[in-house]
């Protein structure tokens, strides 16, 4: 069944190179250390930027993922840096830092998310499975089960905007999804993840690499028969999402979330990849070089 949903589509298609947040903390003295690192307006590391903004590691990573804090040009072989102008821009926003923290606050699992919306966990699960709310991340628990993460602010906004769907009988479309035992949460998350990555991508080959990264390997081989181009796409593939587990057993579970599953979803990403490749190849042809320029 085709993806659907009545809310949160503004973020559909979004994800997260938040390695720049690695090691970030906002403990005592973090802001002082960040200020010292900044020097006379020099770009600062993710740890320094988080300290200056008063964010924890996870808060800063989510802010970067959502495009609320924009990284500067990444030096060759180095981690992302954040300019003084960018940090000043973020701090100048109304309600800082409370508003920024509210925008990156996440809740984990159906029970907590249902509490935010004032409904039962079973009803929330139905809304999520039917594509009304889009996860922003995931984690794998000790039982190797996927625990979806949601933006608390989006849940509150959805509850205020769509009170009717929180009560009463499920719409016919939802009943059809549940009868078919479908679960749209993985595809909703992939759509959001890809969209966020594309929003931070400007180079044509990097754009194509994002779309190729969500397709099964056999689909990439069909869509990109040239091995040299596949090497380029693999080299430019985005890193794993923030929170992706390192323990092999949990990582194996999470890996299944990274690839498109249904034929419709695969066709959508293949179409996007074909369009992106046409632009990337056109750029390479104009410069006389293969691959990114």
């Amino acid at each position: 069944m085709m993806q659907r949903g009545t809310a949160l589509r503004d973020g559909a298609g979004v994800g997260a190179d938040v390695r720049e947040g690695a090691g970030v903390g906002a403990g005592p003295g973090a802001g002082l250390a960040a200020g010292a690192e900044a020097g006379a307006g020099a770009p600062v590391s993710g740890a320094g930027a988080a300290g200056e903004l008063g964010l924890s590691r996870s808060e800063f990573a989510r802010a970067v993922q959502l495009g609320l804090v924009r990284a500067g040009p990444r030096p060759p072989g180095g981690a992302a840096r954040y300019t003084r102008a960018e940090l000043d821009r973020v701090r100048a926003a109304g309600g800082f830092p409370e508003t920024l923290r509210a925008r990156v606050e996440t809740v984990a699992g159906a029970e907590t998310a249902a509490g935010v919306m004032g409904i039962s966990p079973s009803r929330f699960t139905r809304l999520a499975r039917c594509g009304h709310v889009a996860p922003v991340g995931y984690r794998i628990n000790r039982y190797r089960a996927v625990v979806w993460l949601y933006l608390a602010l989006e849940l509150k906004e959805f509850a205020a905007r769509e009170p009717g769907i929180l009560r009463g009988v499920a719409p016919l479309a939802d009943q059809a999804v549940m009868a078919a035992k479908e679960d749209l949460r993985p595809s909703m998350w992939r759509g959001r993840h890809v969209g966020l990555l594309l929003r931070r991508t400007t180079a044509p080959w990097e754009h194509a690499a994002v779309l190729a990264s969500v397709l099964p390997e056999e689909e990439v081989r069909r869509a990109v028969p040239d091995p040299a181009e596949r090497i380029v796409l693999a080299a430019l593939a985005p890193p794993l999402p923030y929170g992706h587990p390192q323990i092999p057993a949990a990582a194996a579970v999470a890996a299944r979330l990274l690839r498109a599953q249904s034929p419709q979803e695969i066709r959508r990403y293949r179409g996007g990849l074909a369009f992106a490749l046409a632009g990337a190849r056109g750029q390479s042809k104009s410069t006389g070089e293969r691959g990114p320029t």
Side-chain angles (χ1 to χ4, degrees):
M1 177 171 290
M2 183 175 293
Q3 280 193 162
R4 56 173 297 278
T6 58
L8 307 187
R9 289 309 181 89
D10 57 326
V14 202
D17 174 7
V18 286
R19 291 181 302 176
E20 52 265 46
V24 171
L32 293 177
E37 180 185 358
V44 300
S45 67
E52 289 204 33
L53 297 177
L55 300 178
S56 69
R57 173 184 177 179
S58 61
E59 288 173 332
F60 181 77
R62 196 67 68 196
V64 172
Q65 174 197 7
L66 297 175
L68 303 177
V69 180
R70 302 185 297 251
R74 187 188 294 269
R81 310 287 286 182
Y82 299 84
T83 65
R84 172 64 50 204
E86 175 63 7
L87 299 184
D88 290 344
R89 181 192 68 80
V90 175
R91 278 195 296 262
F96 177 84
E98 289 78 12
T99 300
L100 178 60
R101 286 205 182 102
R103 294 179 70 183
V104 300
E105 179 187 359
T106 59
V107 296
E111 185 171 352
T112 307
V116 171
M117 299 178 72
I119 57 179
S120 69
S122 61
R123 183 170 290 267
F124 175 81
T125 298
R126 188 258 292 172
L127 291 174
R129 287 176 63 96
C130 293
H132 292 288
V133 291
V136 73
Y138 59 80
R139 69 183 187 211
I140 309 301
N141 67 16
R142 69 180 69 181
Y143 305 107
R144 300 182 192 173
V146 178
V147 178
W148 292 106
L149 308 178
Y150 302 88
L151 290 174
L153 184 60
E154 288 187 342
L155 298 181
K156 295 173 185 176
E157 291 174 344
F158 177 79
R161 185 173 61 250
E162 303 284 350
I165 204 169
L166 304 185
R167 305 286 185 271
V169 179
L172 292 178
D174 288 8
Q175 293 179 35
V177 171
M178 300 305 291
K181 297 183 179 181
E182 292 190 69
D183 185 352
L184 301 183
R185 289 174 293 184
S187 60
M188 291 288 286
W189 172 78
R190 281 189 292 271
R192 172 169 229 164
H193 176 60
V194 169
L196 286 174
L197 289 174
L198 293 178
R199 206 174 296 170
R200 304 206 307 266
T201 300
T202 56
W205 284 100
E206 291 181 356
H207 191 101
V210 168
L211 294 164
S213 71
V214 78
L215 284 169
E217 291 184 8
E218 61 273 17
E219 294 293 338
V220 175
R221 286 194 294 270
R222 294 190 188 102
V224 192
D226 186 341
E229 288 186 343
R230 293 201 300 272
I231 290 173
V232 170
L233 296 177
L236 295 174
L240 293 172
Y242 177 72
H244 192 85
Q246 302 299 314
I247 299 174
V253 174
R256 295 196 289 270
L257 302 175
L258 303 180
R259 308 290 182 179
Q261 299 294 326
S262 72
Q264 286 181 316
E265 188 183 13
I266 289 172
R267 282 197 300 271
R268 185 170 66 253
Y269 287 120
R270 276 199 61 168
L273 176 59
F275 184 81
L277 283 172
R281 290 163 178 157
Q283 181 200 54
S284 296
K285 184 177 181 180
S286 67
T287 60
E289 299 179 13
R290 165 176 278 174
T293 57

